[in-house]
Amino acid sequence: MRILVIEDEKRVASFVRRSLVEAGYAVDCAHDGEQGAKLADRGEHDAIILDLRLPSCDGLSIVKGLRQRGKSTPVLAVTASGSVPDRVAGLNAGCDDYLVKPFAVAELVARVQSLLRRGTVQTALLRVGDLLLDTMIHRVTRAGKPIELTPKEFALLEYLMRKAGQVVTKTMIEQHVWNYDFDSGTNLVEVHMSHLRDKVDRGFDAPLIQTVRGVGYVIQKGSGTRQ
């Protein structure tokens, strides 16, 4: 899952980004309204955390513009003002939820998870063969056996399982599991994929994760022998 944080206070943005990365999300940050509006308009993020008071372009204008252009990305509005009129204005503009500063990390992550669950295409329990991934409690099992994953491995597996049966390229993985500032010249994707395959497929006769040579990766039931 990829989150966009639009927040002009760099200290707050860094805190939010770190909290979400630790929870397993890929996070991009914009520190002014103009940059944030451009990133939001691309439609590449699963949710947006938006400060309503921004330089160059205020948050309400950003969310209004997104909704007018038919963009349905969930938006969590964040502001120092908790007044009822401000909340109503944000919700009327198209925000999906509201969080008042200062806030606890646990509440921020919980609200983001809630927004992601509201999407009609997002399901909490993913299954490929005997492999189960529960996004609600961050639990993975195969044939009933628990599999311990790092946050990044969990995010990578979740992305593969949401694309089950489809080949995903390295670039697609970088864009959805890592951040915009990710160095595509490294082999981190390959390293994480190797660790993930070892944890998911080791000890089972039928591997689920396969490499499609020269293209990318695919996860599917009954994918044959390991390559």
Side-chain angles (χ1 to χ4, degrees):
M1 292 292 161
R2 192 183 188 115
I3 311 297
L4 173 61
V5 176
I6 308 176
E7 168 62 65
D8 63 313
E9 294 185 47
K10 293 187 178 181
R11 180 183 60 83
V12 175
S14 177
F15 164 76
V16 171
R17 178 176 184 171
R18 184 173 64 253
S19 301
L20 292 172
V21 167
E22 290 174 353
Y25 297 103
V27 183
D28 301 307
C29 289
H31 299 300
D32 64 72
E34 184 176 353
Q35 180 193 23
K38 290 179 180 178
L39 291 177
D41 212 35
R42 294 180 182 179
E44 298 174 348
H45 298 88
D46 299 288
I48 299 171
I49 298 175
L50 173 65
D51 188 340
L52 294 185
R53 297 184 178 180
L54 297 164
S56 74
C57 179
D58 68 273
L60 287 181
S61 297
I62 291 175
V63 73
K64 284 179 181 177
L66 287 175
R67 300 306 184 232
Q68 289 171 358
R69 291 187 292 276
K71 306 287 186 179
S72 58
T73 309
V75 174
L76 172 61
V78 177
T79 183
S81 173
S83 69
V84 172
D86 283 346
R87 294 188 184 207
V88 171
L91 294 173
N92 286 340
C95 297
D96 298 274
D97 200 357
Y98 208 99
L99 188 60
V100 179
K101 299 177 183 177
F103 49 81
V105 172
E107 183 179 8
L108 171 69
V109 174
R111 287 181 180 271
V112 169
Q113 292 173 338
S114 177
L115 283 182
L116 294 173
R117 288 196 300 270
R118 294 179 193 176
T120 57
V121 298
Q122 303 299 335
T123 56
L125 187 62
L126 303 176
R127 180 192 299 269
V128 176
D130 56 358
L131 178 68
L132 294 177
L133 182 148
D134 192 324
T135 63
M136 291 281 290
I137 58 176
H138 272 236
R139 185 170 185 264
V140 178
T141 62
R142 182 164 184 192
K145 177 184 176 182
I147 298 175
E148 297 297 327
L149 301 178
T150 66
K152 190 60 68 177
E153 290 167 352
F154 186 93
L156 177 56
L157 181 60
E158 180 181 352
Y159 180 63
L160 288 174
M161 293 181 73
R162 290 196 184 279
K163 298 289 185 180
Q166 304 176 42
V167 177
V168 296
T169 66
K170 178 182 176 181
T171 299
M172 291 169 66
I173 292 173
E174 291 170 354
Q175 291 177 344
H176 287 84
V177 181
W178 273 267
N179 308 319
Y180 275 125
D181 56 5
F182 176 74
D183 183 0
S184 59
T186 69
N187 67 339
L188 277 179
V189 172
E190 290 85 352
V191 170
H192 279 80
M193 186 64 72
S194 177
H195 291 166
L196 181 62
R197 292 176 66 170
D198 189 53
K199 292 181 179 182
V200 169
D201 287 333
R202 183 175 57 185
F204 292 92
D205 294 333
L208 299 176
I209 302 174
Q210 290 292 313
T211 300
V212 180
R213 298 192 184 282
V215 182
Y217 305 92
V218 62
I219 186 169
Q220 58 187 359
K221 181 180 178 181
S223 52
T225 58
R226 185 168 183 167
Q227 298 181 24

